[in-house]
Tab-separated table of all heavy atoms in Angstrom:
chain	number	residue	atom	x	y	z
N	174	PRO	N	15.004	34.279	117.497
N	174	PRO	CA	15.939	34.820	116.512
N	174	PRO	C	15.692	36.300	116.263
N	174	PRO	O	14.550	36.741	116.107
N	174	PRO	CB	15.632	33.983	115.263
N	174	PRO	CG	15.197	32.659	115.810
N	174	PRO	CD	14.391	33.001	117.039
N	175	GLY	N	16.782	37.059	116.241
N	175	GLY	CA	16.700	38.507	116.108
N	175	GLY	C	16.824	39.229	117.424
N	175	GLY	O	16.908	40.461	117.450
N	176	SER	N	16.853	38.486	118.541
N	176	SER	CA	16.999	39.124	119.851
N	176	SER	C	18.381	39.748	119.997
N	176	SER	O	19.387	39.171	119.573
N	176	SER	CB	16.793	38.097	120.971
N	176	SER	OG	15.474	37.617	121.001
N	177	SER	N	18.435	40.895	120.619
N	177	SER	CA	19.710	41.555	120.864
N	177	SER	C	20.596	40.693	121.759
N	177	SER	O	20.140	40.158	122.777
N	177	SER	CB	19.475	42.905	121.538
N	177	SER	OG	20.685	43.414	122.073
N	178	LEU	N	21.858	40.582	121.389
N	178	LEU	CA	22.792	39.814	122.202
N	178	LEU	C	23.201	40.566	123.463
N	178	LEU	O	23.890	40.012	124.316
N	178	LEU	CB	24.035	39.453	121.371
N	178	LEU	CG	23.764	38.620	120.109
N	178	LEU	CD1	25.082	38.218	119.446
N	178	LEU	CD2	22.924	37.378	120.417
N	179	ALA	N	22.769	41.817	123.593
N	179	ALA	CA	23.046	42.602	124.802
N	179	ALA	C	21.800	42.797	125.658
N	179	ALA	O	21.831	43.535	126.632
N	179	ALA	CB	23.618	43.966	124.409
N	180	SER	N	20.710	42.116	125.323
N	180	SER	CA	19.416	42.381	125.949
N	180	SER	C	19.357	41.950	127.408
N	180	SER	O	19.976	40.982	127.829
N	180	SER	CB	18.309	41.664	125.167
N	180	SER	OG	18.613	40.281	125.013
N	181	GLY	N	18.573	42.706	128.177
N	181	GLY	CA	18.257	42.344	129.545
N	181	GLY	C	16.903	41.660	129.604
N	181	GLY	O	16.269	41.391	128.572
N	182	THR	N	16.431	41.363	130.797
N	182	THR	CA	15.126	40.721	130.964
N	182	THR	C	14.031	41.663	130.477
N	182	THR	O	13.997	42.829	130.865
N	182	THR	CB	14.897	40.347	132.435
N	182	THR	OG1	15.960	39.479	132.854
N	182	THR	CG2	13.568	39.644	132.623
N	183	ARG	N	13.143	41.131	129.626
N	183	ARG	CA	12.126	41.986	129.035
N	183	ARG	C	11.005	41.134	128.465
N	183	ARG	O	11.094	39.912	128.403
N	183	ARG	CB	12.698	42.869	127.926
N	183	ARG	CG	13.003	42.117	126.624
N	183	ARG	CD	14.495	42.009	126.411
N	183	ARG	NE	14.812	41.410	125.118
N	183	ARG	CZ	15.181	40.138	124.971
N	183	ARG	NH1	15.226	39.312	126.010
N	183	ARG	NH2	15.492	39.681	123.779
N	184	VAL	N	9.958	41.808	127.986
N	184	VAL	CA	8.819	41.156	127.346
N	184	VAL	C	9.167	40.829	125.899
N	184	VAL	O	9.770	41.644	125.199
N	184	VAL	CB	7.576	42.054	127.401
N	184	VAL	CG1	6.427	41.448	126.611
N	184	VAL	CG2	7.170	42.299	128.843
N	185	LYS	N	8.795	39.616	125.458
N	185	LYS	CA	9.022	39.206	124.078
N	185	LYS	C	7.761	38.563	123.514
N	185	LYS	O	6.960	37.967	124.249
N	185	LYS	CB	10.167	38.194	123.989
N	185	LYS	CG	11.534	38.767	124.253
N	185	LYS	CD	11.997	39.683	123.126
N	185	LYS	CE	12.346	38.915	121.867
N	185	LYS	NZ	12.828	39.792	120.783
N	186	THR	N	7.602	38.680	122.202
N	186	THR	CA	6.551	37.958	121.486
N	186	THR	C	7.098	36.603	121.080
N	186	THR	O	8.181	36.513	120.488
N	186	THR	CB	6.117	38.731	120.224
N	186	THR	OG1	5.696	40.037	120.598
N	186	THR	CG2	4.982	38.011	119.519
N	187	LEU	N	6.380	35.543	121.409
N	187	LEU	CA	6.839	34.198	121.075
N	187	LEU	C	6.693	33.930	119.585
N	187	LEU	O	5.668	34.260	118.978
N	187	LEU	CB	6.037	33.157	121.861
N	187	LEU	CG	6.219	33.201	123.379
N	187	LEU	CD1	5.298	32.187	124.039
N	187	LEU	CD2	7.666	32.931	123.756
N	188	ALA	N	7.719	33.317	118.998
N	188	ALA	CA	7.644	32.905	117.603
N	188	ALA	C	6.596	31.804	117.450
N	188	ALA	O	6.343	31.026	118.376
N	188	ALA	CB	9.002	32.405	117.123
N	189	GLU	N	6.007	31.744	116.280
N	189	GLU	CA	4.996	30.724	116.029
N	189	GLU	C	5.553	29.322	116.234
N	189	GLU	O	4.889	28.448	116.793
N	189	GLU	CB	4.453	30.872	114.601
N	189	GLU	CG	3.203	30.049	114.332
N	189	GLU	CD	1.954	30.591	115.009
N	189	GLU	OE1	2.035	31.642	115.672
N	189	GLU	OE2	0.901	29.957	114.876
N	190	GLN	N	6.826	29.091	115.805
N	190	GLN	CA	7.416	27.763	115.967
N	190	GLN	C	7.567	27.400	117.434
N	190	GLN	O	7.371	26.244	117.823
N	190	GLN	CB	8.778	27.695	115.263
N	190	GLN	CG	9.413	26.303	115.292
N	190	GLN	CD	8.548	25.257	114.627
N	190	GLN	OE1	8.164	25.409	113.468
N	190	GLN	NE2	8.225	24.183	115.348
N	191	THR	N	7.915	28.380	118.259
N	191	THR	CA	8.032	28.111	119.690
N	191	THR	C	6.679	27.726	120.278
N	191	THR	O	6.583	26.807	121.105
N	191	THR	CB	8.588	29.350	120.412
N	191	THR	OG1	9.886	29.641	119.890
N	191	THR	CG2	8.697	29.104	121.910
N	192	ARG	N	5.635	28.400	119.849
N	192	ARG	CA	4.308	28.071	120.341
N	192	ARG	C	3.892	26.676	119.854
N	192	ARG	O	3.268	25.904	120.605
N	192	ARG	CB	3.297	29.123	119.901
N	192	ARG	CG	3.590	30.503	120.513
N	192	ARG	CD	2.573	31.547	120.084
N	192	ARG	NE	1.274	31.270	120.661
N	192	ARG	CZ	0.135	31.228	119.975
N	192	ARG	NH1	0.129	31.417	118.664
N	192	ARG	NH2	-1.005	30.992	120.589
N	193	VAL	N	4.253	26.339	118.636
N	193	VAL	CA	3.980	24.981	118.125
N	193	VAL	C	4.733	23.948	118.959
N	193	VAL	O	4.170	22.922	119.370
N	193	VAL	CB	4.383	24.877	116.639
N	193	VAL	CG1	4.358	23.420	116.175
N	193	VAL	CG2	3.454	25.724	115.771
N	194	ASP	N	6.023	24.216	119.217
N	194	ASP	CA	6.829	23.275	120.004
N	194	ASP	C	6.278	23.101	121.415
N	194	ASP	O	6.324	22.001	121.982
N	194	ASP	CB	8.279	23.770	120.083
N	194	ASP	CG	9.009	23.696	118.746
N	194	ASP	OD1	8.511	23.004	117.833
N	194	ASP	OD2	10.065	24.345	118.619
N	195	ASN	N	5.766	24.177	122.005
N	195	ASN	CA	5.304	24.129	123.396
N	195	ASN	C	3.851	23.697	123.533
N	195	ASN	O	3.364	23.506	124.653
N	195	ASN	CB	5.497	25.484	124.065
N	195	ASN	CG	6.953	25.759	124.372
N	195	ASN	OD1	7.822	24.954	124.057
N	195	ASN	ND2	7.227	26.891	124.989
Side-chain angles (χ1 to χ4, degrees):
S176 294
S177 166
L178 300 185
S180 53
T182 302
R183 74 250 185 259
V184 174
K185 289 290 288 182
T186 303
L187 295 176
E189 192 72 2
Q190 185 60 55
T191 299
R192 296 181 68 230
V193 169
D194 291 345
N195 286 2

